[in-house]
Each structure stands twice: as structure tokens, then as C-alpha cells.
Amino acid sequence: FKVISEHDTPHEVELPAPWNTKLDLFQKMIIVKVMRPDKMTGTIQNFVMHQKETGKAFVEPPNFSLVKSFSASRPQTPMVFVLSVGADP
């Protein structure tokens, strides 16, 4: 478990036996939460990407065109941009 606590991407580290085969992805996510709460963003993205109900489309940002958005806007409808840490405006 020391490797998980020191790794940059702990959600990509294989758990030691027998835990790697006994635990599902959600349970592994809980282990990362306990050991590395600072790395939960990548862990949750990994979890969402591997779910059959959601997948990669729910993690990757949609394509954005400022020109198309501006042409679809009106003076009565404001454009609001919400930026987050790590987002490339």
C-alpha cells in the first residue's frame, strides 16, 4: 500500500494481492479516498469512465466554439463561463 500512498496517480496502481481481485472499482476508489484524498478527481474520473452507463463521454469536455456561441447569443441572454482548476479557457 506504500506505493499507492506515494504514487502521483494512485488510481492507476494495482492493489496488492488479494485485494486487486477481491475489490471492485468503487471499493478501490474508497481506498484511494482514505489514503490520498488529494487525488480523488482523477480517481472519480477513472470510475466514471469505466462504468457502462456513463463512459468516457461523461468525463471529456464537449467541443466549444466561441464564434458559434456568440452568434447564437442575444443581448437579453448573457453568456456565463464557469472555469475550474486545470481547465483551459
mmCIF file of all heavy atoms in Angstrom, residues 47-89:
data_model
loop_
_atom_site.group_PDB
_atom_site.id
_atom_site.type_symbol
_atom_site.label_atom_id
_atom_site.label_comp_id
_atom_site.label_asym_id
_atom_site.label_seq_id
_atom_site.Cartn_x
_atom_site.Cartn_y
_atom_site.Cartn_z
ATOM 1 N N PHE A 47 -13.319 6.149 -12.428
ATOM 2 C CA PHE A 47 -14.505 5.362 -12.081
ATOM 3 C C PHE A 47 -15.633 5.602 -13.078
ATOM 4 O O PHE A 47 -16.250 4.662 -13.578
ATOM 5 C CB PHE A 47 -14.963 5.697 -10.661
ATOM 6 C CG PHE A 47 -16.210 4.989 -10.243
ATOM 7 C CD1 PHE A 47 -16.166 3.654 -9.873
ATOM 8 C CD2 PHE A 47 -17.421 5.647 -10.218
ATOM 9 C CE1 PHE A 47 -17.319 2.989 -9.485
ATOM 10 C CE2 PHE A 47 -18.578 4.993 -9.830
ATOM 11 C CZ PHE A 47 -18.530 3.655 -9.466
ATOM 12 N N VAL A 48 -15.902 6.861 -13.388
ATOM 13 C CA VAL A 48 -16.981 7.206 -14.320
ATOM 14 C C VAL A 48 -16.691 6.659 -15.722
ATOM 15 O O VAL A 48 -17.581 6.132 -16.392
ATOM 16 C CB VAL A 48 -17.200 8.736 -14.359
ATOM 17 C CG1 VAL A 48 -18.135 9.147 -15.478
ATOM 18 C CG2 VAL A 48 -17.732 9.216 -13.021
ATOM 19 N N MET A 49 -15.440 6.752 -16.159
ATOM 20 C CA MET A 49 -15.080 6.260 -17.494
ATOM 21 C C MET A 49 -15.282 4.759 -17.632
ATOM 22 O O MET A 49 -15.585 4.273 -18.715
ATOM 23 C CB MET A 49 -13.616 6.585 -17.819
ATOM 24 C CG MET A 49 -13.404 8.001 -18.227
ATOM 25 S SD MET A 49 -11.790 8.390 -18.939
ATOM 26 C CE MET A 49 -10.660 7.311 -18.156
ATOM 27 N N HIS A 50 -15.149 4.010 -16.546
ATOM 28 C CA HIS A 50 -15.254 2.554 -16.618
ATOM 29 C C HIS A 50 -16.658 2.020 -16.336
ATOM 30 O O HIS A 50 -16.851 0.806 -16.279
ATOM 31 C CB HIS A 50 -14.236 1.915 -15.675
ATOM 32 C CG HIS A 50 -12.839 2.019 -16.184
ATOM 33 N ND1 HIS A 50 -12.021 3.089 -15.888
ATOM 34 C CD2 HIS A 50 -12.131 1.215 -17.000
ATOM 35 C CE1 HIS A 50 -10.865 2.919 -16.484
ATOM 36 N NE2 HIS A 50 -10.902 1.804 -17.170
ATOM 37 N N GLN A 51 -17.622 2.904 -16.176
ATOM 38 C CA GLN A 51 -18.996 2.462 -15.971
ATOM 39 C C GLN A 51 -19.702 2.332 -17.312
ATOM 40 O O GLN A 51 -19.583 3.205 -18.164
ATOM 41 C CB GLN A 51 -19.759 3.440 -15.072
ATOM 42 C CG GLN A 51 -19.148 3.615 -13.702
ATOM 43 C CD GLN A 51 -18.974 2.311 -12.966
ATOM 44 O OE1 GLN A 51 -19.943 1.587 -12.742
ATOM 45 N NE2 GLN A 51 -17.753 2.000 -12.598
ATOM 46 N N LYS A 52 -20.451 1.249 -17.503
ATOM 47 C CA LYS A 52 -21.120 1.060 -18.795
ATOM 48 C C LYS A 52 -22.249 2.061 -19.005
ATOM 49 O O LYS A 52 -22.602 2.371 -20.130
ATOM 50 C CB LYS A 52 -21.631 -0.373 -18.927
ATOM 51 C CG LYS A 52 -22.691 -0.767 -17.938
ATOM 52 C CD LYS A 52 -23.128 -2.198 -18.131
ATOM 53 C CE LYS A 52 -24.169 -2.578 -17.096
ATOM 54 N NZ LYS A 52 -24.575 -3.953 -17.216
ATOM 55 N N GLU A 53 -22.822 2.591 -17.920
ATOM 56 C CA GLU A 53 -23.909 3.557 -18.049
ATOM 57 C C GLU A 53 -23.412 4.943 -18.449
ATOM 58 O O GLU A 53 -24.169 5.740 -18.995
ATOM 59 C CB GLU A 53 -24.695 3.682 -16.734
ATOM 60 C CG GLU A 53 -25.403 2.431 -16.299
ATOM 61 C CD GLU A 53 -24.505 1.479 -15.520
ATOM 62 O OE1 GLU A 53 -23.389 1.873 -15.125
ATOM 63 O OE2 GLU A 53 -24.907 0.330 -15.319
ATOM 64 N N THR A 54 -22.177 5.257 -18.145
ATOM 65 C CA THR A 54 -21.663 6.594 -18.423
ATOM 66 C C THR A 54 -20.567 6.537 -19.478
ATOM 67 O O THR A 54 -20.818 6.793 -20.635
ATOM 68 C CB THR A 54 -21.136 7.246 -17.134
ATOM 69 O OG1 THR A 54 -20.188 6.375 -16.516
ATOM 70 C CG2 THR A 54 -22.257 7.531 -16.160
ATOM 71 N N GLY A 55 -19.369 6.241 -19.088
ATOM 72 C CA GLY A 55 -18.272 6.128 -20.042
ATOM 73 C C GLY A 55 -17.496 7.416 -20.225
ATOM 74 O O GLY A 55 -17.662 8.396 -19.504
ATOM 75 N N LYS A 56 -16.635 7.383 -21.230
ATOM 76 C CA LYS A 56 -15.695 8.479 -21.477
ATOM 77 C C LYS A 56 -16.395 9.803 -21.812
ATOM 78 O O LYS A 56 -15.891 10.871 -21.499
ATOM 79 C CB LYS A 56 -14.791 8.074 -22.640
ATOM 80 C CG LYS A 56 -13.433 8.613 -22.569
ATOM 81 C CD LYS A 56 -12.568 8.017 -23.667
ATOM 82 C CE LYS A 56 -11.125 8.299 -23.357
ATOM 83 N NZ LYS A 56 -10.222 7.725 -24.325
ATOM 84 N N ALA A 57 -17.556 9.736 -22.438
ATOM 85 C CA ALA A 57 -18.266 10.953 -22.845
ATOM 86 C C ALA A 57 -18.653 11.825 -21.648
ATOM 87 O O ALA A 57 -18.826 13.035 -21.780
ATOM 88 C CB ALA A 57 -19.518 10.592 -23.639
ATOM 89 N N PHE A 58 -18.782 11.229 -20.467
ATOM 90 C CA PHE A 58 -19.167 11.984 -19.278
ATOM 91 C C PHE A 58 -17.977 12.621 -18.582
ATOM 92 O O PHE A 58 -18.146 13.366 -17.623
ATOM 93 C CB PHE A 58 -19.916 11.079 -18.295
ATOM 94 C CG PHE A 58 -21.338 10.838 -18.686
ATOM 95 C CD1 PHE A 58 -21.649 9.927 -19.675
ATOM 96 C CD2 PHE A 58 -22.364 11.540 -18.092
ATOM 97 C CE1 PHE A 58 -22.957 9.704 -20.058
ATOM 98 C CE2 PHE A 58 -23.676 11.333 -18.462
ATOM 99 C CZ PHE A 58 -23.976 10.411 -19.454
ATOM 100 N N VAL A 59 -16.762 12.329 -19.050
ATOM 101 C CA VAL A 59 -15.555 12.865 -18.431
ATOM 102 C C VAL A 59 -14.896 13.912 -19.323
ATOM 103 O O VAL A 59 -14.383 14.911 -18.842
ATOM 104 C CB VAL A 59 -14.558 11.729 -18.114
ATOM 105 C CG1 VAL A 59 -13.270 12.274 -17.555
ATOM 106 C CG2 VAL A 59 -15.176 10.742 -17.134
ATOM 107 N N GLU A 60 -14.937 13.694 -20.619
ATOM 108 C CA GLU A 60 -14.295 14.614 -21.555
ATOM 109 C C GLU A 60 -15.189 15.830 -21.803
ATOM 110 O O GLU A 60 -16.394 15.691 -21.999
ATOM 111 C CB GLU A 60 -14.017 13.914 -22.880
ATOM 112 C CG GLU A 60 -12.986 12.812 -22.753
ATOM 113 C CD GLU A 60 -12.733 12.092 -24.062
ATOM 114 O OE1 GLU A 60 -13.501 12.310 -25.033
ATOM 115 O OE2 GLU A 60 -11.775 11.321 -24.103
ATOM 116 N N PRO A 61 -14.612 17.019 -21.788
ATOM 117 C CA PRO A 61 -15.431 18.213 -22.041
ATOM 118 C C PRO A 61 -15.885 18.264 -23.496
ATOM 119 O O PRO A 61 -15.175 17.807 -24.393
ATOM 120 C CB PRO A 61 -14.470 19.372 -21.724
ATOM 121 C CG PRO A 61 -13.111 18.798 -21.859
ATOM 122 C CD PRO A 61 -13.211 17.343 -21.534
ATOM 123 N N PRO A 62 -17.074 18.808 -23.747
ATOM 124 C CA PRO A 62 -17.555 18.915 -25.124
ATOM 125 C C PRO A 62 -16.762 19.970 -25.898
ATOM 126 O O PRO A 62 -16.150 20.863 -25.305
ATOM 127 C CB PRO A 62 -19.015 19.345 -24.961
ATOM 128 C CG PRO A 62 -19.058 20.022 -23.634
ATOM 129 C CD PRO A 62 -18.021 19.356 -22.782
ATOM 130 N N ASN A 63 -16.789 19.851 -27.212
ATOM 131 C CA ASN A 63 -16.144 20.863 -28.049
ATOM 132 C C ASN A 63 -16.870 22.190 -27.871
ATOM 133 O O ASN A 63 -18.088 22.235 -27.734
ATOM 134 C CB ASN A 63 -16.184 20.451 -29.520
ATOM 135 C CG ASN A 63 -15.286 19.265 -29.781
ATOM 136 O OD1 ASN A 63 -14.313 19.052 -29.072
ATOM 137 N ND2 ASN A 63 -15.605 18.489 -30.792
ATOM 138 N N PHE A 64 -16.105 23.259 -27.896
ATOM 139 C CA PHE A 64 -16.691 24.578 -27.677
ATOM 140 C C PHE A 64 -16.162 25.540 -28.724
ATOM 141 O O PHE A 64 -14.967 25.595 -28.993
ATOM 142 C CB PHE A 64 -16.334 25.097 -26.281
ATOM 143 C CG PHE A 64 -16.797 26.497 -26.042
ATOM 144 C CD1 PHE A 64 -18.135 26.774 -25.842
ATOM 145 C CD2 PHE A 64 -15.897 27.547 -26.046
ATOM 146 C CE1 PHE A 64 -18.564 28.061 -25.623
ATOM 147 C CE2 PHE A 64 -16.317 28.845 -25.824
ATOM 148 C CZ PHE A 64 -17.657 29.102 -25.616
ATOM 149 N N SER A 65 -17.082 26.274 -29.317
ATOM 150 C CA SER A 65 -16.713 27.291 -30.282
ATOM 151 C C SER A 65 -17.279 28.630 -29.809
ATOM 152 O O SER A 65 -18.505 28.807 -29.726
ATOM 153 C CB SER A 65 -17.270 26.945 -31.665
ATOM 154 O OG SER A 65 -17.112 28.041 -32.539
ATOM 155 N N LEU A 66 -16.385 29.549 -29.499
ATOM 156 C CA LEU A 66 -16.826 30.865 -29.046
ATOM 157 C C LEU A 66 -17.593 31.591 -30.143
ATOM 158 O O LEU A 66 -18.589 32.267 -29.879
ATOM 159 C CB LEU A 66 -15.630 31.694 -28.580
ATOM 160 C CG LEU A 66 -15.938 33.051 -27.972
ATOM 161 C CD1 LEU A 66 -16.866 32.912 -26.774
ATOM 162 C CD2 LEU A 66 -14.669 33.757 -27.562
ATOM 163 N N VAL A 67 -17.183 31.404 -31.398
ATOM 164 C CA VAL A 67 -17.858 32.055 -32.526
ATOM 165 C C VAL A 67 -19.301 31.563 -32.627
ATOM 166 O O VAL A 67 -20.241 32.365 -32.755
ATOM 167 C CB VAL A 67 -17.085 31.797 -33.844
ATOM 168 C CG1 VAL A 67 -17.854 32.331 -35.028
ATOM 169 C CG2 VAL A 67 -15.700 32.399 -33.776
ATOM 170 N N LYS A 68 -19.523 30.238 -32.538
ATOM 171 C CA LYS A 68 -20.885 29.685 -32.618
ATOM 172 C C LYS A 68 -21.728 30.137 -31.426
ATOM 173 O O LYS A 68 -22.903 30.477 -31.576
ATOM 174 C CB LYS A 68 -20.843 28.168 -32.677
ATOM 175 C CG LYS A 68 -20.376 27.620 -33.997
ATOM 176 C CD LYS A 68 -20.394 26.101 -33.976
ATOM 177 C CE LYS A 68 -19.865 25.534 -35.271
ATOM 178 N NZ LYS A 68 -19.842 24.060 -35.251
ATOM 179 N N SER A 69 -21.118 30.137 -30.246
ATOM 180 C CA SER A 69 -21.851 30.555 -29.049
ATOM 181 C C SER A 69 -22.237 32.025 -29.137
ATOM 182 O O SER A 69 -23.348 32.407 -28.780
ATOM 183 C CB SER A 69 -21.014 30.316 -27.802
ATOM 184 O OG SER A 69 -20.780 28.952 -27.636
ATOM 185 N N PHE A 70 -21.322 32.850 -29.600
ATOM 186 C CA PHE A 70 -21.611 34.273 -29.718
ATOM 187 C C PHE A 70 -22.707 34.525 -30.748
ATOM 188 O O PHE A 70 -23.605 35.346 -30.525
ATOM 189 C CB PHE A 70 -20.349 35.049 -30.089
ATOM 190 C CG PHE A 70 -20.549 36.530 -30.116
ATOM 191 C CD1 PHE A 70 -20.676 37.248 -28.935
ATOM 192 C CD2 PHE A 70 -20.637 37.214 -31.316
ATOM 193 C CE1 PHE A 70 -20.869 38.613 -28.951
ATOM 194 C CE2 PHE A 70 -20.834 38.581 -31.335
ATOM 195 C CZ PHE A 70 -20.951 39.285 -30.150
ATOM 196 N N SER A 71 -22.669 33.812 -31.876
ATOM 197 C CA SER A 71 -23.695 34.017 -32.901
ATOM 198 C C SER A 71 -25.068 33.528 -32.443
ATOM 199 O O SER A 71 -26.095 34.024 -32.898
ATOM 200 C CB SER A 71 -23.299 33.334 -34.212
ATOM 201 O OG SER A 71 -23.265 31.940 -34.048
ATOM 202 N N ALA A 72 -25.101 32.573 -31.524
ATOM 203 C CA ALA A 72 -26.378 32.073 -31.008
ATOM 204 C C ALA A 72 -26.898 32.897 -29.835
ATOM 205 O O ALA A 72 -28.043 32.740 -29.423
ATOM 206 C CB ALA A 72 -26.224 30.620 -30.585
ATOM 207 N N SER A 73 -26.082 33.798 -29.324
ATOM 208 C CA SER A 73 -26.493 34.592 -28.163
ATOM 209 C C SER A 73 -27.259 35.838 -28.596
ATOM 210 O O SER A 73 -27.247 36.227 -29.758
ATOM 211 C CB SER A 73 -25.266 34.992 -27.342
ATOM 212 O OG SER A 73 -24.485 35.910 -28.069
ATOM 213 N N ARG A 74 -27.935 36.433 -27.623
ATOM 214 C CA ARG A 74 -28.657 37.683 -27.842
ATOM 215 C C ARG A 74 -28.330 38.623 -26.696
ATOM 216 O O ARG A 74 -27.883 38.176 -25.640
ATOM 217 C CB ARG A 74 -30.170 37.425 -27.860
ATOM 218 C CG ARG A 74 -30.613 36.456 -28.934
ATOM 219 C CD ARG A 74 -32.088 36.193 -28.889
ATOM 220 N NE ARG A 74 -32.475 35.820 -27.515
ATOM 221 C CZ ARG A 74 -33.700 35.793 -27.068
ATOM 222 N NH1 ARG A 74 -34.685 36.111 -27.854
ATOM 223 N NH2 ARG A 74 -33.985 35.454 -25.840
ATOM 224 N N PRO A 75 -28.575 39.906 -26.858
ATOM 225 C CA PRO A 75 -28.297 40.846 -25.755
ATOM 226 C C PRO A 75 -29.091 40.526 -24.486
ATOM 227 O O PRO A 75 -28.650 40.821 -23.384
ATOM 228 C CB PRO A 75 -28.707 42.204 -26.321
ATOM 229 C CG PRO A 75 -28.597 42.051 -27.794
ATOM 230 C CD PRO A 75 -28.950 40.615 -28.086
ATOM 231 N N GLN A 76 -30.247 39.899 -24.640
ATOM 232 C CA GLN A 76 -31.079 39.577 -23.475
ATOM 233 C C GLN A 76 -30.631 38.274 -22.792
ATOM 234 O O GLN A 76 -31.098 37.951 -21.705
ATOM 235 C CB GLN A 76 -32.553 39.399 -23.895
ATOM 236 C CG GLN A 76 -33.174 40.632 -24.483
ATOM 237 C CD GLN A 76 -32.868 40.807 -25.967
ATOM 238 O OE1 GLN A 76 -32.306 39.933 -26.623
ATOM 239 N NE2 GLN A 76 -33.209 41.969 -26.501
ATOM 240 N N THR A 77 -29.747 37.526 -23.445
ATOM 241 C CA THR A 77 -29.290 36.248 -22.900
ATOM 242 C C THR A 77 -27.793 36.329 -22.623
ATOM 243 O O THR A 77 -26.993 36.317 -23.556
ATOM 244 C CB THR A 77 -29.566 35.097 -23.899
ATOM 245 O OG1 THR A 77 -30.934 35.138 -24.293
ATOM 246 C CG2 THR A 77 -29.262 33.757 -23.278
ATOM 247 N N PRO A 78 -27.416 36.402 -21.376
ATOM 248 C CA PRO A 78 -25.981 36.509 -21.074
ATOM 249 C C PRO A 78 -25.259 35.182 -21.308
ATOM 250 O O PRO A 78 -25.849 34.119 -21.243
ATOM 251 C CB PRO A 78 -25.964 36.875 -19.588
ATOM 252 C CG PRO A 78 -27.235 36.324 -19.052
ATOM 253 C CD PRO A 78 -28.236 36.422 -20.168
ATOM 254 N N MET A 79 -23.986 35.292 -21.602
ATOM 255 C CA MET A 79 -23.137 34.103 -21.711
ATOM 256 C C MET A 79 -22.334 34.025 -20.412
ATOM 257 O O MET A 79 -21.658 34.972 -20.038
ATOM 258 C CB MET A 79 -22.208 34.217 -22.908
ATOM 259 C CG MET A 79 -22.942 34.098 -24.229
ATOM 260 S SD MET A 79 -21.938 34.319 -25.722
ATOM 261 C CE MET A 79 -20.438 33.504 -25.390
ATOM 262 N N VAL A 80 -22.430 32.906 -19.736
ATOM 263 C CA VAL A 80 -21.739 32.715 -18.473
ATOM 264 C C VAL A 80 -20.709 31.602 -18.659
ATOM 265 O O VAL A 80 -21.034 30.528 -19.159
ATOM 266 C CB VAL A 80 -22.723 32.336 -17.343
ATOM 267 C CG1 VAL A 80 -21.995 32.086 -16.042
ATOM 268 C CG2 VAL A 80 -23.771 33.421 -17.184
ATOM 269 N N PHE A 81 -19.483 31.866 -18.275
ATOM 270 C CA PHE A 81 -18.413 30.873 -18.380
ATOM 271 C C PHE A 81 -17.997 30.471 -16.968
ATOM 272 O O PHE A 81 -17.655 31.319 -16.143
ATOM 273 C CB PHE A 81 -17.206 31.446 -19.126
ATOM 274 C CG PHE A 81 -17.511 31.775 -20.562
ATOM 275 C CD1 PHE A 81 -17.948 33.046 -20.915
ATOM 276 C CD2 PHE A 81 -17.382 30.801 -21.541
ATOM 277 C CE1 PHE A 81 -18.237 33.342 -22.234
ATOM 278 C CE2 PHE A 81 -17.663 31.092 -22.851
ATOM 279 C CZ PHE A 81 -18.090 32.372 -23.212
ATOM 280 N N VAL A 82 -18.045 29.194 -16.702
ATOM 281 C CA VAL A 82 -17.624 28.676 -15.417
ATOM 282 C C VAL A 82 -16.301 27.945 -15.633
ATOM 283 O O VAL A 82 -16.235 26.961 -16.362
ATOM 284 C CB VAL A 82 -18.667 27.699 -14.817
ATOM 285 C CG1 VAL A 82 -18.203 27.158 -13.491
ATOM 286 C CG2 VAL A 82 -20.015 28.400 -14.689
ATOM 287 N N LEU A 83 -15.251 28.472 -15.030
ATOM 288 C CA LEU A 83 -13.931 27.872 -15.174
ATOM 289 C C LEU A 83 -13.560 27.128 -13.899
ATOM 290 O O LEU A 83 -13.960 27.515 -12.804
ATOM 291 C CB LEU A 83 -12.880 28.959 -15.452
ATOM 292 C CG LEU A 83 -13.145 29.825 -16.687
ATOM 293 C CD1 LEU A 83 -12.074 30.896 -16.807
ATOM 294 C CD2 LEU A 83 -13.178 28.962 -17.945
ATOM 295 N N SER A 84 -12.809 26.068 -14.058
ATOM 296 C CA SER A 84 -12.367 25.306 -12.899
ATOM 297 C C SER A 84 -10.860 25.114 -12.968
ATOM 298 O O SER A 84 -10.239 25.350 -14.001
ATOM 299 C CB SER A 84 -13.087 23.957 -12.841
ATOM 300 O OG SER A 84 -12.774 23.204 -13.993
ATOM 301 N N VAL A 85 -10.308 24.686 -11.873
ATOM 302 C CA VAL A 85 -8.875 24.466 -11.790
ATOM 303 C C VAL A 85 -8.458 23.430 -12.832
ATOM 304 O O VAL A 85 -9.090 22.391 -12.985
ATOM 305 C CB VAL A 85 -8.487 23.976 -10.392
ATOM 306 C CG1 VAL A 85 -7.025 23.625 -10.319
ATOM 307 C CG2 VAL A 85 -8.836 25.021 -9.355
ATOM 308 N N GLY A 86 -7.443 23.763 -13.606
ATOM 309 C CA GLY A 86 -6.965 22.853 -14.633
ATOM 310 C C GLY A 86 -7.679 22.983 -15.961
ATOM 311 O O GLY A 86 -7.300 22.358 -16.940
ATOM 312 N N ALA A 87 -8.727 23.790 -16.021
ATOM 313 C CA ALA A 87 -9.459 23.980 -17.270
ATOM 314 C C ALA A 87 -8.702 24.952 -18.177
ATOM 315 O O ALA A 87 -8.107 25.910 -17.706
ATOM 316 C CB ALA A 87 -10.860 24.518 -16.993
ATOM 317 N N ASP A 88 -8.733 24.678 -19.446
ATOM 318 C CA ASP A 88 -8.057 25.545 -20.410
ATOM 319 C C ASP A 88 -9.112 26.384 -21.111
ATOM 320 O O ASP A 88 -9.858 25.899 -21.941
ATOM 321 C CB ASP A 88 -7.290 24.697 -21.417
ATOM 322 C CG ASP A 88 -6.465 25.528 -22.393
ATOM 323 O OD1 ASP A 88 -6.331 26.744 -22.146
ATOM 324 O OD2 ASP A 88 -5.974 24.968 -23.355
ATOM 325 N N PRO A 89 -9.213 27.665 -20.744
ATOM 326 C CA PRO A 89 -10.251 28.503 -21.337
ATOM 327 C C PRO A 89 -9.931 28.767 -22.784
ATOM 328 O O PRO A 89 -10.654 29.066 -23.612
ATOM 329 C CB PRO A 89 -10.209 29.785 -20.527
ATOM 330 C CG PRO A 89 -8.904 29.799 -19.845
ATOM 331 C CD PRO A 89 -8.394 28.403 -19.814
#
